[in-house]
Amino acid sequence: MIRDARVLRAGFVPREVEHRDAEINHLSSVLEPITNDEPADTAIVTGPSGAGKTCISKFVTEQLREEVLDVETTYVNCWRNYTRFRTLYQILDDLGASLDIHRQSTPHDELVDRLQQHDGPRTVVILDEVDQLEDPGLIYDLHSLPQFAIICIANKEEELFSRVDERLVSRLRSSEHVRMDKYHDEQLHDILRARAKWGLEEDVITDRQLYQIADAAAGDARLAIGILRTAAGKADRGNRTRIPNEVLVGAAEDARAQIKQRSLDSLTPHQRVVYAVVRDHGPLGPSTIHEHYIEKVDDPRTKRTVRTYLSKMVQYNLLEAEGTSRDREYSLVDSVTASPSRSDS
DNA sequence: GTTCCACAGGAAAATATGGAGG
DNA sequence: CCTCCATATTTTCCTGTGGAAC
């Protein structure tokens, strides 16, 4: 059934990227100066999730490393490393210059100094989910270091710009901007077919089924590949030689549930209680949520903290917020997943 | 229109957590 | 073990906004 599982994993960068030639060329041309050992501009890549932002960024930097000997690349997910310190540390670590850093002895700006003094090969820094960074000023610091080229990946351009200050906005506006859109069903189908070709045995899945997956994924390539992966995994465990349609339907739900479960797992117990309150008692305003929450917990947090939880869960796409001020209500983000796991208080 | 209230979300102070060094 | 230090989380305090009652 499965020929090469790597191809189906999230984060796999294929040797040929489908339907993104224009974007890839654009991004390569921004990094072009590096091949002549000259400083390159900052690039901004924006687009909805699963549009291939991370994929083409990694692809282009890989390509660059094939062409040029003296170039390093590093990838930082700012969603995981959202503090200034962690992001810088991650970069230094990738460059192998983090050895003697102790938190006590290294005030903030020394990390930047350290990067500045770094006279290794030119380096491309990919900052993924850069809009999750709590201090976007970090971009400015990196921006001013000529030996680093930066690729900023974000969902929406406006959200990124609204959080940085004037001087940085003007510098970023002049930098090259690669915009990406959702894939069409056709394109998604091609991507899936390529993955199925390398990742699965022959005739495991029909073209029609690939279209079904593409349809269910609604333009999100990451989700589409996730569905294909779980479907193949299930069929494999069931010792099937093909993927039956029933499995496919289940896989679409599973893949969504998995993504949701992963964000749910990253919540603290208190946050989970708040989530449960909203789940069990329909759309509610913050005060009502807090009242319910207080009853279910020994040492309740304050209203303000619960509000922070709520907005965090909105960011995670677990909840939806409707209304602007007094009439705001939170509700579960609508998904057709009937979760059979009912947890306790 | 004015007033009032619930809310959003920023800033800073307060408190909890975790790792290194004694 | 304890202390120190930086980070992480929570609380307190606050300003600005918009809908609803007056």
Side-chain angles (χ1 to χ4, degrees):
Chain A
M1 159 77 50
I2 294 174
R3 192 204 301 255
D4 185 350
R6 285 175 305 173
V7 178
L8 301 178
R9 264 202 266 277
F12 175 79
V13 179
R15 221 153 7 132
E16 298 287 330
V17 180
E18 308 264 337
H19 297 296
R20 289 298 188 220
D21 292 346
E23 288 84 357
I24 286 172
N25 287 338
H26 190 175
L27 194 53
S28 306
S29 71
V30 179
L31 298 180
E32 166 82 45
I34 289 198
T35 58
N36 304 318
D37 205 29
E38 286 164 18
D41 256 340
T42 295
I44 299 176
V45 183
T46 58
S49 74
K53 305 184 292 294
T54 307
C55 182
I56 73 154
S57 300
K58 284 185 169 173
F59 178 82
V60 167
T61 51
E62 273 304 307
Q63 210 177 37
L64 194 65
R65 277 165 62 83
E66 280 175 24
E67 286 172 24
V68 186
L69 200 59
D70 284 338
V71 65
E72 285 295 325
T73 64
T74 131
Y75 171 86
V76 184
N77 187 324
C78 301
W79 191 69
R80 288 201 194 293
N81 306 285
Y82 54 91
T83 66
R84 188 189 166 82
F85 183 89
R86 283 205 195 173
T87 307
L88 286 169
Y89 189 90
Q90 185 73 47
I91 296 169
L92 281 165
D93 202 33
D94 281 353
L95 296 174
S98 68
L99 294 175
D100 52 340
I101 291 179
H102 302 288
R103 285 192 303 184
Q104 281 96 338
S105 64
T106 40
H108 273 156
D109 294 338
E110 189 177 329
L111 290 185
V112 180
D113 287 348
R114 194 76 68 93
L115 279 176
Q116 194 160 22
Q117 284 155 21
H118 178 76
D119 61 344
R122 292 198 180 277
T123 302
V124 182
V125 181
I126 302 176
L127 297 175
D128 203 349
E129 318 242 16
V130 77
D131 44 355
Q132 296 295 323
L133 217 50
E134 69 173 7
D135 172 22
L138 173 62
I139 304 170
Y140 189 82
D141 292 325
L142 288 175
H143 193 91
S144 55
L145 301 176
Q147 64 269 51
F148 294 95
I150 307 165
I151 300 176
C152 292
I153 303 179
N155 274 77
K156 283 188 190 153
E157 161 185 19
E158 313 88 66
E159 274 169 35
L160 176 59
F161 281 144
S162 67
R163 298 187 52 230
V164 303
D165 67 22
E166 277 310 312
R167 40 184 200 153
L168 185 52
V169 169
S170 58
R171 292 183 77 163
L172 287 183
R173 281 212 189 286
S174 65
S175 57
E176 282 299 319
H177 196 149
V178 180
R179 292 186 178 78
M180 304 182 68
D181 279 324
K182 286 192 171 203
Y183 288 107
H184 305 135
D185 283 4
E186 277 302 319
Q187 302 174 328
L188 223 40
H189 167 258
D190 290 343
I191 292 169
L192 287 168
R193 200 181 47 196
R195 298 292 173 108
K197 183 181 168 197
W198 296 108
L200 304 178
E201 301 291 339
E202 247 169 274
D203 294 330
V204 162
I205 190 163
T206 65
D207 241 25
R208 194 178 147 66
Q209 288 176 313
L210 290 180
Y211 270 114
Q212 271 177 269
I213 297 178
D215 185 49
D220 185 335
R222 182 171 24 192
L223 181 58
I225 292 164
I227 294 173
L228 181 60
R229 182 181 56 239
T230 39
K234 273 189 178 183
D236 194 36
R237 277 190 295 279
N239 284 323
R240 316 291 287 257
T241 53
R242 286 156 183 259
I243 295 177
N245 268 324
E246 315 86 69
V247 168
L248 199 58
V249 173
E253 280 175 22
D254 280 5
R256 272 182 227 279
Q258 263 177 37
I259 289 170
K260 190 166 176 176
Q261 191 58 46
R262 214 168 308 154
S263 4
L264 229 39
D265 286 343
S266 71
L267 300 178
T268 67
H270 281 279
Q271 291 166 343
R272 255 180 282 238
V273 173
V274 173
Y275 178 82
V277 167
V278 180
R279 181 192 56 201
D280 297 341
H281 303 79
L284 293 174
S287 289
T288 331
I289 292 173
H290 189 242
E291 280 166 29
H292 278 108
Y293 156 82
I294 275 180
E295 310 227 321
K296 299 192 177 184
V297 145
D298 287 340
D299 52 341
R301 303 285 184 258
T302 59
K303 247 176 169 172
R304 177 68 185 87
T305 304
V306 168
R307 251 188 283 149
T308 308
Y309 290 168
L310 288 167
S311 66
K312 184 178 175 180
M313 286 189 258
V314 170
Q315 288 234 313
Y316 279 20
N317 243 303
L318 290 169
L319 299 181
E320 250 173 348
E322 190 100 19
T324 49
S325 88
R326 246 193 111 145
D327 55 338
R328 171 162 283 200
E329 282 188 334
Y330 291 92
S331 52
L332 280 212
V333 68
D334 80 76
S335 60
V336 210
T337 35
S339 79
S341 65
R342 173 105 342 162
S343 58
D344 49 7
S345 63

